Amino acid sequence: MQFVNLVFNLLFSVLSLVVLGMAGYALVHALRVPAAAFVSAGKLQKNIWLIILILATLFSAAGAWAYVTTFMLIGGAQFMGIGLGLFSVAAVIAATIYIVDVKPAVKGMGGNSGPYGPW
């Protein structure tokens, strides 16, 4: 049973770090896109997306911190549980919507590009 707990605890720790990476990537991309691109693409305003993605990054960072530190302390001795599961799910949903829907819509609009492509 201890091996099963170790595998699940490791899986949840890795997944929490993946969620943190997704949310961080979406936040950095949203910071780099001009505000006019969101309006031109018919999406929510940049400020609203930044608030959503900042909250998603904070929640996923808290979840990753909780899982990784608990995993380092407990290991496979017992199952850690879901923890900040609801907030992590919300962070995954927000980051996925941004990456799948908003990012392709605002891609290439505005930014620093010259006559032969990006500088």
Side-chain angles (χ1 to χ4, degrees):
M1 189 65 175
Q2 189 173 6
F3 178 73
V4 174
N5 288 337
L6 178 68
V7 169
F8 278 118
N9 290 345
L10 181 63
L11 177 68
F12 279 122
S13 297
V14 169
L15 285 176
S16 68
L17 291 173
V18 169
V19 171
L20 176 61
M22 266 180 58
Y25 171 74
L27 177 62
V28 169
H29 185 271
L31 286 169
R32 298 183 69 206
V33 174
F38 290 89
V39 176
S40 298
K43 303 299 177 187
L44 291 175
Q45 293 179 357
K46 180 178 180 172
N47 294 339
I48 295 172
W49 272 113
L50 288 178
I51 291 170
I52 292 170
L53 293 173
I54 286 171
L55 289 174
T57 304
L58 289 175
F59 289 142
S60 61
W65 175 261
Y67 278 121
V68 171
T69 56
T70 305
F71 178 73
M72 296 302 250
L73 293 174
I74 294 176
Q78 65 185 25
F79 180 62
M80 290 187 293
I82 301 301
L84 299 171
L86 182 62
F87 293 114
S88 295
V89 170
V92 167
I93 291 171
T96 303
I97 289 173
Y98 182 84
I99 291 170
V100 172
D101 183 41
V102 178
K103 183 180 177 245
V106 299
K107 182 181 178 185
M109 293 186 179
N112 297 330
S113 59
Y116 304 109
W119 290 64

